[in-house]
Amino acid sequence: MTETEADIAASGYRAERQLFDGDTGTFPLQLRQTIVRLLRGPYIDGVADPRLWTTVLDNRQVIADYLCEIFLVLSVDPDRKIAMLTPAEVDAPHTTAIQPRKPLRREETLLALRLRLLLDRHAGSGTDATISRAAAREILEEHRQLGTVDDKRLEELTDASISRLLALKLLLPTELAGVYRVSNALAMALPFDSIDQIPAYIEALARSDAQELLDPDLLDQELPDPELLDPELTAPEAEGHASGSTVPNNTTANEEEL
């Protein structure tokens, strides 16, 4: 059986794309790198990584088709220039996403939801939404459990919550010490149909036990899946928490009342 010209051409094409011994893949290096970056998470920021962002846009359907094979969904927000992965919901064994997921705790989610409100109300202003550590502390102080007056514990929770959101890249450092920029990815991580839903979610979370994760059944309306806040953004088994109220008086120029 002789090889056809098409077989020869296909073989030569694969040889050109071969990146390592035994490589049978057909994607070029840049496309593979982009997929790996998406899998690592938490997201691709088109402003920070314009090359990867362009690759996502140019190959959106190809990437989406590939990821569907491993039960992941590609979400792209062209306006905010954010691309991230979310787990597909499949009622069958061996379909959960690859990476284990650590859920956000109560205070982390409270802060994240307050920042979600701030981000939405800052949209179209032409400036970044920012928050100071002092403002974050006051948010958590406002939602402390009744009877809790341990200021040292509050300081620890504030630092831990900020550190977690920084690790998720939902908060980003700025040139100013103790001041952070709210990432546009937060809008996709907490995809409410309307920000008017957030206060009720916050209220339910504020009533929850400090050691518990919020049960979505506490609210009537459908809530965003808190597992989207995982740093890997590729695995399930997460339950979230929410926050909300007003940003304190000692805000920076871009910190608004929520």
Side-chain angles (χ1 to χ4, degrees):
M1 181 176 175
T2 60
E3 285 187 311
T4 66
E5 291 183 1
D7 291 333
I8 295 173
S11 178
Y13 176 81
R14 285 194 297 270
E16 290 179 3
R17 296 293 177 93
Q18 193 174 56
L19 301 176
F20 52 89
D21 290 342
D23 182 10
T24 59
T26 60
F27 292 166
L29 175 61
Q30 188 164 315
L31 179 52
R32 298 189 199 193
Q33 290 172 324
T34 301
I35 292 173
V36 169
R37 180 64 179 78
L38 284 166
L39 289 169
R40 284 180 177 173
Y43 57 83
I44 287 177
D45 184 335
V47 176
D49 295 302
R51 182 179 66 87
L52 294 179
W53 175 248
T54 299
T55 303
V56 170
L57 295 183
D58 292 346
N59 301 274
R60 182 171 178 175
Q61 192 58 54
V62 172
I63 295 173
D65 291 345
Y66 174 81
L67 292 169
C68 282
E69 300 288 355
I70 51 175
F71 308 107
L72 293 171
V73 178
L74 174 66
S75 300
V76 177
D77 187 328
D79 296 329
R80 294 185 173 91
K81 293 188 175 183
I82 297 293
M84 63 169 58
L85 304 183
T86 56
E89 296 183 8
V90 182
D91 187 15
H94 311 302
T95 59
T96 55
I98 300 167
Q99 295 290 338
R101 184 184 299 274
K102 180 182 178 182
L104 289 181
R105 298 199 175 278
R106 177 183 182 275
E107 287 74 17
E108 295 164 356
T109 313
L110 280 166
L111 183 56
L113 284 173
R114 288 291 297 278
L115 296 176
R116 174 70 175 84
L117 283 170
L118 177 62
L119 184 66
D120 191 87
R121 292 177 179 175
H122 223 76
S125 68
T127 57
D128 294 329
T130 62
I131 188 168
S132 66
R133 183 195 179 282
R137 181 190 183 282
E138 291 196 23
I139 289 174
L140 297 184
E141 182 178 25
E142 183 177 344
H143 295 287
R144 281 202 291 195
Q145 296 292 307
L146 291 177
T148 303
V149 293
D150 187 346
D151 288 341
K152 180 180 179 181
R153 179 58 178 160
L154 177 61
E155 298 294 339
E156 292 172 348
L157 288 172
T158 300
D159 289 335
S161 298
I162 290 174
S163 294
R164 183 74 193 283
L165 296 184
L166 283 169
L168 295 172
K169 296 187 179 179
L170 297 178
L171 278 179
L172 303 170
T174 68
E175 295 179 354
L176 299 176
V179 178
Y180 309 95
R181 179 168 67 86
V182 183
S183 169
N184 285 328
L186 188 57
M188 295 180 70
L190 289 172
F192 287 90
D193 293 332
S194 168
I195 62 169
D196 294 337
Q197 297 173 335
I198 297 180
Y201 194 24
I202 288 170
E203 182 180 353
L205 176 60
R207 294 196 306 265
S208 68
D209 186 272
Q211 301 303 318
E212 293 179 353
L213 296 177
L214 181 64
D215 182 353
D217 292 335
L218 290 174
L219 298 181
D220 293 331
Q221 66 255 57
E222 183 178 356
L223 298 173
D225 189 347
E227 74 180 33
L228 301 185
L229 290 175
D230 180 76
E232 299 298 334
L233 290 173
T234 53
E237 303 173 10
E239 303 171 63
H241 300 153
S243 107
S245 125
T246 60
V247 169
N249 295 329
N250 61 329
T251 58
T252 65
N254 285 331
E255 291 166 1
E256 302 174 359
E257 184 178 3
L258 299 186

